[in-house]
Amino acid sequence: MANAPAAHPLVLASASPRRLDLLRQIGVVPAAVDPADVDESPLPRELPPGHAARLAAAKAEAVAARHPGAFVLAADTVVACGRRILPKAETEAQARACLDLLSGRRHRVYGGVVLLAPGADGQPPRVLDRLVRTDVTFKALSHEEVESYIASGEWHGKAGGYAIQGRAAAYVRWIGGSYSNVVGLPLHEVATLLHGAGYPLS
């Protein structure tokens, strides 16, 4: 069931079809999807949690400027091994390097979420945010498993070179925290933010 009509529309500041699907899973259907065009390069010495939080805020602010009076929801997902921020894999070499690094190890997935809510009586938007951490442990991957996953193409454009909702689920030995955060959007925290901001949930 879709959410009830809101006095102010909700705009999802993301090009990710996974985030849109996750919102629909909890009955939230944005009035518009408007991806932000921001530089996602880490700053010098920037740590993974701060990187996720900063990018989510930058995306929200960029899109809010185009949708005055709307709720704007933005998110960023960062996969990290220690202090190292793994890329969103765009080449087979990047994906292979990510999988080799994650093999047999525990890593962290940080989800930065920012909701800009319309201010009352012409006031600036209210900023509500969350930073969510999920711990994930991969099994030790064989060369054949890595090459099979590379051949699947599921890694393309994914933070850390894998999609937990696909074939990579077979590699996850243990997960601690929000599963949906690893997919792309921590649903409990998003629902809490929306409710707290006065956005109607079904």
Side-chain angles (χ1 to χ4, degrees), residues 115-144:
L115 176 67
L116 298 185
D121 301 322
Q123 294 298 311
R126 292 173 290 151
V127 180
L128 299 89
D129 56 30
R130 292 288 187 276
L131 180 65
V132 179
R133 184 185 114 185
T134 305
D135 294 340
V136 182
T137 301
F138 267 23
K139 61 171 281 190
L141 301 176
S142 68
H143 174 76
E144 290 75 19

PDB file of all heavy atoms in Angstrom, residues 115-144:
ATOM      1  N   LEU A 115      17.479  13.712   5.816  1.00  0.00           N
ATOM      2  CA  LEU A 115      16.139  14.141   5.407  1.00  0.00           C
ATOM      3  C   LEU A 115      16.034  15.631   5.661  1.00  0.00           C
ATOM      4  O   LEU A 115      16.216  16.087   6.798  1.00  0.00           O
ATOM      5  CB  LEU A 115      15.070  13.392   6.199  1.00  0.00           C
ATOM      6  CG  LEU A 115      13.621  13.824   5.936  1.00  0.00           C
ATOM      7  CD1 LEU A 115      13.205  13.474   4.505  1.00  0.00           C
ATOM      8  CD2 LEU A 115      12.667  13.201   6.947  1.00  0.00           C
ATOM      9  N   LEU A 116      15.752  16.383   4.628  1.00  0.00           N
ATOM     10  CA  LEU A 116      15.455  17.802   4.763  1.00  0.00           C
ATOM     11  C   LEU A 116      13.936  17.953   4.764  1.00  0.00           C
ATOM     12  O   LEU A 116      13.262  17.566   3.811  1.00  0.00           O
ATOM     13  CB  LEU A 116      16.077  18.610   3.620  1.00  0.00           C
ATOM     14  CG  LEU A 116      17.603  18.570   3.527  1.00  0.00           C
ATOM     15  CD1 LEU A 116      18.084  19.504   2.420  1.00  0.00           C
ATOM     16  CD2 LEU A 116      18.241  18.949   4.843  1.00  0.00           C
ATOM     17  N   ALA A 117      13.404  18.496   5.867  1.00  0.00           N
ATOM     18  CA  ALA A 117      11.956  18.640   6.028  1.00  0.00           C
ATOM     19  C   ALA A 117      11.584  20.109   5.912  1.00  0.00           C
ATOM     20  O   ALA A 117      12.319  20.983   6.400  1.00  0.00           O
ATOM     21  CB  ALA A 117      11.525  18.089   7.381  1.00  0.00           C
ATOM     22  N   PRO A 118      10.464  20.408   5.257  1.00  0.00           N
ATOM     23  CA  PRO A 118      10.064  21.813   5.082  1.00  0.00           C
ATOM     24  C   PRO A 118       9.953  22.529   6.421  1.00  0.00           C
ATOM     25  O   PRO A 118       9.391  22.002   7.383  1.00  0.00           O
ATOM     26  CB  PRO A 118       8.696  21.703   4.394  1.00  0.00           C
ATOM     27  CG  PRO A 118       8.688  20.352   3.768  1.00  0.00           C
ATOM     28  CD  PRO A 118       9.503  19.474   4.664  1.00  0.00           C
ATOM     29  N   GLY A 119      10.510  23.742   6.492  1.00  0.00           N
ATOM     30  CA  GLY A 119      10.395  24.542   7.707  1.00  0.00           C
ATOM     31  C   GLY A 119       9.039  25.222   7.784  1.00  0.00           C
ATOM     32  O   GLY A 119       8.384  25.479   6.768  1.00  0.00           O
ATOM     33  N   ALA A 120       8.609  25.500   8.988  1.00  0.00           N
ATOM     34  CA  ALA A 120       7.310  26.154   9.190  1.00  0.00           C
ATOM     35  C   ALA A 120       7.428  27.655   8.957  1.00  0.00           C
ATOM     36  O   ALA A 120       8.437  28.276   9.301  1.00  0.00           O
ATOM     37  CB  ALA A 120       6.808  25.886  10.606  1.00  0.00           C
ATOM     38  N   ASP A 121       6.371  28.230   8.358  1.00  0.00           N
ATOM     39  CA  ASP A 121       6.267  29.682   8.189  1.00  0.00           C
ATOM     40  C   ASP A 121       7.492  30.289   7.520  1.00  0.00           C
ATOM     41  O   ASP A 121       8.029  31.303   7.973  1.00  0.00           O
ATOM     42  CB  ASP A 121       6.034  30.363   9.550  1.00  0.00           C
ATOM     43  CG  ASP A 121       4.766  29.863  10.231  1.00  0.00           C
ATOM     44  OD1 ASP A 121       3.772  29.634   9.524  1.00  0.00           O
ATOM     45  OD2 ASP A 121       4.795  29.681  11.468  1.00  0.00           O
ATOM     46  N   GLY A 122       7.936  29.642   6.452  1.00  0.00           N
ATOM     47  CA  GLY A 122       9.036  30.191   5.686  1.00  0.00           C
ATOM     48  C   GLY A 122      10.407  30.016   6.294  1.00  0.00           C
ATOM     49  O   GLY A 122      11.384  30.586   5.789  1.00  0.00           O
ATOM     50  N   GLN A 123      10.511  29.217   7.364  1.00  0.00           N
ATOM     51  CA  GLN A 123      11.803  28.964   7.986  1.00  0.00           C
ATOM     52  C   GLN A 123      12.634  28.014   7.112  1.00  0.00           C
ATOM     53  O   GLN A 123      12.088  27.292   6.282  1.00  0.00           O
ATOM     54  CB  GLN A 123      11.609  28.359   9.374  1.00  0.00           C
ATOM     55  CG  GLN A 123      10.949  29.287  10.375  1.00  0.00           C
ATOM     56  CD  GLN A 123      11.772  30.537  10.629  1.00  0.00           C
ATOM     57  OE1 GLN A 123      12.972  30.454  10.889  1.00  0.00           O
ATOM     58  NE2 GLN A 123      11.142  31.705  10.522  1.00  0.00           N
ATOM     59  N   PRO A 124      13.946  28.008   7.297  1.00  0.00           N
ATOM     60  CA  PRO A 124      14.793  27.077   6.526  1.00  0.00           C
ATOM     61  C   PRO A 124      14.401  25.627   6.807  1.00  0.00           C
ATOM     62  O   PRO A 124      13.811  25.321   7.853  1.00  0.00           O
ATOM     63  CB  PRO A 124      16.210  27.376   7.037  1.00  0.00           C
ATOM     64  CG  PRO A 124      16.125  28.734   7.633  1.00  0.00           C
ATOM     65  CD  PRO A 124      14.740  28.877   8.175  1.00  0.00           C
ATOM     66  N   PRO A 125      14.721  24.721   5.891  1.00  0.00           N
ATOM     67  CA  PRO A 125      14.394  23.305   6.109  1.00  0.00           C
ATOM     68  C   PRO A 125      15.059  22.768   7.380  1.00  0.00           C
ATOM     69  O   PRO A 125      16.153  23.187   7.751  1.00  0.00           O
ATOM     70  CB  PRO A 125      14.956  22.614   4.863  1.00  0.00           C
ATOM     71  CG  PRO A 125      15.060  23.687   3.834  1.00  0.00           C
ATOM     72  CD  PRO A 125      15.366  24.944   4.585  1.00  0.00           C
ATOM     73  N   ARG A 126      14.359  21.857   8.036  1.00  0.00           N
ATOM     74  CA  ARG A 126      14.941  21.152   9.172  1.00  0.00           C
ATOM     75  C   ARG A 126      15.800  20.008   8.646  1.00  0.00           C
ATOM     76  O   ARG A 126      15.427  19.343   7.682  1.00  0.00           O
ATOM     77  CB  ARG A 126      13.841  20.584  10.076  1.00  0.00           C
ATOM     78  CG  ARG A 126      13.024  21.648  10.807  1.00  0.00           C
ATOM     79  CD  ARG A 126      11.853  20.999  11.529  1.00  0.00           C
ATOM     80  NE  ARG A 126      10.863  20.515  10.581  1.00  0.00           N
ATOM     81  CZ  ARG A 126      10.049  19.479  10.798  1.00  0.00           C
ATOM     82  NH1 ARG A 126      10.152  18.789  11.918  1.00  0.00           N
ATOM     83  NH2 ARG A 126       9.159  19.128   9.897  1.00  0.00           N
ATOM     84  N   VAL A 127      16.930  19.792   9.291  1.00  0.00           N
ATOM     85  CA  VAL A 127      17.854  18.741   8.886  1.00  0.00           C
ATOM     86  C   VAL A 127      17.784  17.607   9.899  1.00  0.00           C
ATOM     87  O   VAL A 127      18.054  17.810  11.087  1.00  0.00           O
ATOM     88  CB  VAL A 127      19.297  19.260   8.780  1.00  0.00           C
ATOM     89  CG1 VAL A 127      20.232  18.138   8.342  1.00  0.00           C
ATOM     90  CG2 VAL A 127      19.382  20.452   7.830  1.00  0.00           C
ATOM     91  N   LEU A 128      17.389  16.427   9.435  1.00  0.00           N
ATOM     92  CA  LEU A 128      17.373  15.234  10.274  1.00  0.00           C
ATOM     93  C   LEU A 128      18.322  14.233   9.639  1.00  0.00           C
ATOM     94  O   LEU A 128      18.274  14.014   8.418  1.00  0.00           O
ATOM     95  CB  LEU A 128      15.965  14.644  10.379  1.00  0.00           C
ATOM     96  CG  LEU A 128      14.874  15.525  10.996  1.00  0.00           C
ATOM     97  CD1 LEU A 128      14.204  16.361   9.912  1.00  0.00           C
ATOM     98  CD2 LEU A 128      13.822  14.678  11.698  1.00  0.00           C
ATOM     99  N   ASP A 129      19.181  13.624  10.442  1.00  0.00           N
ATOM    100  CA  ASP A 129      20.157  12.705   9.838  1.00  0.00           C
ATOM    101  C   ASP A 129      20.451  11.520  10.747  1.00  0.00           C
ATOM    102  O   ASP A 129      20.193  11.556  11.951  1.00  0.00           O
ATOM    103  CB  ASP A 129      21.444  13.436   9.471  1.00  0.00           C
ATOM    104  CG  ASP A 129      22.072  14.167  10.656  1.00  0.00           C
ATOM    105  OD1 ASP A 129      21.904  13.721  11.804  1.00  0.00           O
ATOM    106  OD2 ASP A 129      22.729  15.197  10.430  1.00  0.00           O
ATOM    107  N   ARG A 130      20.975  10.493  10.129  1.00  0.00           N
ATOM    108  CA  ARG A 130      21.402   9.285  10.823  1.00  0.00           C
ATOM    109  C   ARG A 130      22.646   8.734  10.127  1.00  0.00           C
ATOM    110  O   ARG A 130      22.809   8.878   8.902  1.00  0.00           O
ATOM    111  CB  ARG A 130      20.318   8.195  10.802  1.00  0.00           C
ATOM    112  CG  ARG A 130      19.073   8.499  11.602  1.00  0.00           C
ATOM    113  CD  ARG A 130      19.318   8.433  13.106  1.00  0.00           C
ATOM    114  NE  ARG A 130      18.075   8.570  13.843  1.00  0.00           N
ATOM    115  CZ  ARG A 130      17.497   9.725  14.148  1.00  0.00           C
ATOM    116  NH1 ARG A 130      18.052  10.859  13.750  1.00  0.00           N
ATOM    117  NH2 ARG A 130      16.367   9.754  14.830  1.00  0.00           N
ATOM    118  N   LEU A 131      23.486   8.092  10.915  1.00  0.00           N
ATOM    119  CA  LEU A 131      24.626   7.353  10.370  1.00  0.00           C
ATOM    120  C   LEU A 131      24.532   5.938  10.912  1.00  0.00           C
ATOM    121  O   LEU A 131      24.520   5.736  12.133  1.00  0.00           O
ATOM    122  CB  LEU A 131      25.955   7.996  10.773  1.00  0.00           C
ATOM    123  CG  LEU A 131      27.212   7.294  10.255  1.00  0.00           C
ATOM    124  CD1 LEU A 131      27.282   7.374   8.732  1.00  0.00           C
ATOM    125  CD2 LEU A 131      28.467   7.893  10.877  1.00  0.00           C
ATOM    126  N   VAL A 132      24.420   4.971  10.017  1.00  0.00           N
ATOM    127  CA  VAL A 132      24.177   3.576  10.394  1.00  0.00           C
ATOM    128  C   VAL A 132      25.380   2.738   9.996  1.00  0.00           C
ATOM    129  O   VAL A 132      25.921   2.903   8.889  1.00  0.00           O
ATOM    130  CB  VAL A 132      22.900   3.052   9.704  1.00  0.00           C
ATOM    131  CG1 VAL A 132      22.650   1.599  10.076  1.00  0.00           C
ATOM    132  CG2 VAL A 132      21.705   3.916  10.081  1.00  0.00           C
ATOM    133  N   ARG A 133      25.776   1.835  10.897  1.00  0.00           N
ATOM    134  CA  ARG A 133      26.896   0.930  10.597  1.00  0.00           C
ATOM    135  C   ARG A 133      26.429  -0.513  10.651  1.00  0.00           C
ATOM    136  O   ARG A 133      25.757  -0.926  11.590  1.00  0.00           O
ATOM    137  CB  ARG A 133      28.020   1.125  11.606  1.00  0.00           C
ATOM    138  CG  ARG A 133      29.252   0.294  11.302  1.00  0.00           C
ATOM    139  CD  ARG A 133      30.281   0.427  12.405  1.00  0.00           C
ATOM    140  NE  ARG A 133      30.483  -0.839  13.111  1.00  0.00           N
ATOM    141  CZ  ARG A 133      31.267  -0.965  14.179  1.00  0.00           C
ATOM    142  NH1 ARG A 133      31.883   0.086  14.681  1.00  0.00           N
ATOM    143  NH2 ARG A 133      31.407  -2.136  14.753  1.00  0.00           N
ATOM    144  N   THR A 134      26.799  -1.267   9.630  1.00  0.00           N
ATOM    145  CA  THR A 134      26.540  -2.703   9.591  1.00  0.00           C
ATOM    146  C   THR A 134      27.867  -3.423   9.410  1.00  0.00           C
ATOM    147  O   THR A 134      28.681  -3.032   8.571  1.00  0.00           O
ATOM    148  CB  THR A 134      25.603  -3.066   8.421  1.00  0.00           C
ATOM    149  OG1 THR A 134      24.404  -2.281   8.512  1.00  0.00           O
ATOM    150  CG2 THR A 134      25.235  -4.542   8.458  1.00  0.00           C
ATOM    151  N   ASP A 135      28.089  -4.449  10.208  1.00  0.00           N
ATOM    152  CA  ASP A 135      29.293  -5.262  10.077  1.00  0.00           C
ATOM    153  C   ASP A 135      28.978  -6.506   9.257  1.00  0.00           C
ATOM    154  O   ASP A 135      27.944  -7.154   9.491  1.00  0.00           O
ATOM    155  CB  ASP A 135      29.823  -5.679  11.446  1.00  0.00           C
ATOM    156  CG  ASP A 135      30.324  -4.495  12.257  1.00  0.00           C
ATOM    157  OD1 ASP A 135      30.617  -3.446  11.652  1.00  0.00           O
ATOM    158  OD2 ASP A 135      30.419  -4.618  13.484  1.00  0.00           O
ATOM    159  N   VAL A 136      29.831  -6.839   8.324  1.00  0.00           N
ATOM    160  CA  VAL A 136      29.628  -7.985   7.440  1.00  0.00           C
ATOM    161  C   VAL A 136      30.915  -8.797   7.367  1.00  0.00           C
ATOM    162  O   VAL A 136      31.997  -8.231   7.209  1.00  0.00           O
ATOM    163  CB  VAL A 136      29.232  -7.541   6.005  1.00  0.00           C
ATOM    164  CG1 VAL A 136      28.967  -8.758   5.117  1.00  0.00           C
ATOM    165  CG2 VAL A 136      28.016  -6.622   6.043  1.00  0.00           C
ATOM    166  N   THR A 137      30.792 -10.121   7.490  1.00  0.00           N
ATOM    167  CA  THR A 137      31.946 -10.998   7.346  1.00  0.00           C
ATOM    168  C   THR A 137      31.757 -11.906   6.140  1.00  0.00           C
ATOM    169  O   THR A 137      30.730 -12.588   6.026  1.00  0.00           O
ATOM    170  CB  THR A 137      32.148 -11.873   8.602  1.00  0.00           C
ATOM    171  OG1 THR A 137      32.334 -11.030   9.732  1.00  0.00           O
ATOM    172  CG2 THR A 137      33.367 -12.775   8.443  1.00  0.00           C
ATOM    173  N   PHE A 138      32.725 -11.883   5.249  1.00  0.00           N
ATOM    174  CA  PHE A 138      32.726 -12.763   4.078  1.00  0.00           C
ATOM    175  C   PHE A 138      33.479 -14.063   4.385  1.00  0.00           C
ATOM    176  O   PHE A 138      34.433 -14.071   5.162  1.00  0.00           O
ATOM    177  CB  PHE A 138      33.430 -12.074   2.907  1.00  0.00           C
ATOM    178  CG  PHE A 138      32.530 -11.308   1.984  1.00  0.00           C
ATOM    179  CD1 PHE A 138      31.300 -10.834   2.410  1.00  0.00           C
ATOM    180  CD2 PHE A 138      32.917 -11.042   0.680  1.00  0.00           C
ATOM    181  CE1 PHE A 138      30.477 -10.123   1.560  1.00  0.00           C
ATOM    182  CE2 PHE A 138      32.107 -10.334  -0.182  1.00  0.00           C
ATOM    183  CZ  PHE A 138      30.875  -9.872   0.260  1.00  0.00           C
ATOM    184  N   LYS A 139      33.061 -15.121   3.768  1.00  0.00           N
ATOM    185  CA  LYS A 139      33.837 -16.355   3.776  1.00  0.00           C
ATOM    186  C   LYS A 139      35.110 -16.134   2.958  1.00  0.00           C
ATOM    187  O   LYS A 139      35.217 -15.156   2.206  1.00  0.00           O
ATOM    188  CB  LYS A 139      33.021 -17.499   3.157  1.00  0.00           C
ATOM    189  CG  LYS A 139      32.637 -17.249   1.701  1.00  0.00           C
ATOM    190  CD  LYS A 139      32.022 -18.461   1.035  1.00  0.00           C
ATOM    191  CE  LYS A 139      33.100 -19.446   0.639  1.00  0.00           C
ATOM    192  NZ  LYS A 139      32.588 -20.533  -0.212  1.00  0.00           N
ATOM    193  N   ALA A 140      36.056 -17.051   3.103  1.00  0.00           N
ATOM    194  CA  ALA A 140      37.240 -17.006   2.246  1.00  0.00           C
ATOM    195  C   ALA A 140      36.826 -17.423   0.837  1.00  0.00           C
ATOM    196  O   ALA A 140      36.255 -18.503   0.636  1.00  0.00           O
ATOM    197  CB  ALA A 140      38.314 -17.939   2.779  1.00  0.00           C
ATOM    198  N   LEU A 141      37.067 -16.554  -0.122  1.00  0.00           N
ATOM    199  CA  LEU A 141      36.621 -16.799  -1.494  1.00  0.00           C
ATOM    200  C   LEU A 141      37.712 -17.498  -2.305  1.00  0.00           C
ATOM    201  O   LEU A 141      38.879 -17.097  -2.274  1.00  0.00           O
ATOM    202  CB  LEU A 141      36.256 -15.475  -2.167  1.00  0.00           C
ATOM    203  CG  LEU A 141      35.160 -14.647  -1.490  1.00  0.00           C
ATOM    204  CD1 LEU A 141      34.973 -13.321  -2.223  1.00  0.00           C
ATOM    205  CD2 LEU A 141      33.849 -15.410  -1.445  1.00  0.00           C
ATOM    206  N   SER A 142      37.311 -18.512  -3.035  1.00  0.00           N
ATOM    207  CA  SER A 142      38.251 -19.179  -3.934  1.00  0.00           C
ATOM    208  C   SER A 142      38.420 -18.349  -5.202  1.00  0.00           C
ATOM    209  O   SER A 142      37.608 -17.457  -5.501  1.00  0.00           O
ATOM    210  CB  SER A 142      37.735 -20.571  -4.301  1.00  0.00           C
ATOM    211  OG  SER A 142      36.569 -20.466  -5.106  1.00  0.00           O
ATOM    212  N   HIS A 143      39.448 -18.644  -5.951  1.00  0.00           N
ATOM    213  CA  HIS A 143      39.667 -17.960  -7.222  1.00  0.00           C
ATOM    214  C   HIS A 143      38.472 -18.167  -8.142  1.00  0.00           C
ATOM    215  O   HIS A 143      38.028 -17.225  -8.830  1.00  0.00           O
ATOM    216  CB  HIS A 143      40.936 -18.501  -7.886  1.00  0.00           C
ATOM    217  CG  HIS A 143      41.168 -17.971  -9.272  1.00  0.00           C
ATOM    218  ND1 HIS A 143      41.632 -16.695  -9.514  1.00  0.00           N
ATOM    219  CD2 HIS A 143      40.969 -18.544 -10.501  1.00  0.00           C
ATOM    220  CE1 HIS A 143      41.720 -16.499 -10.819  1.00  0.00           C
ATOM    221  NE2 HIS A 143      41.327 -17.598 -11.433  1.00  0.00           N
ATOM    222  N   GLU A 144      37.930 -19.385  -8.133  1.00  0.00           N
ATOM    223  CA  GLU A 144      36.778 -19.691  -9.006  1.00  0.00           C
ATOM    224  C   GLU A 144      35.550 -18.883  -8.604  1.00  0.00           C
ATOM    225  O   GLU A 144      34.800 -18.411  -9.470  1.00  0.00           O
ATOM    226  CB  GLU A 144      36.472 -21.192  -8.946  1.00  0.00           C
ATOM    227  CG  GLU A 144      37.510 -22.094  -9.613  1.00  0.00           C
ATOM    228  CD  GLU A 144      38.783 -22.236  -8.801  1.00  0.00           C
ATOM    229  OE1 GLU A 144      38.738 -21.955  -7.574  1.00  0.00           O
ATOM    230  OE2 GLU A 144      39.827 -22.617  -9.376  1.00  0.00           O
TER     231      GLU A 144
END
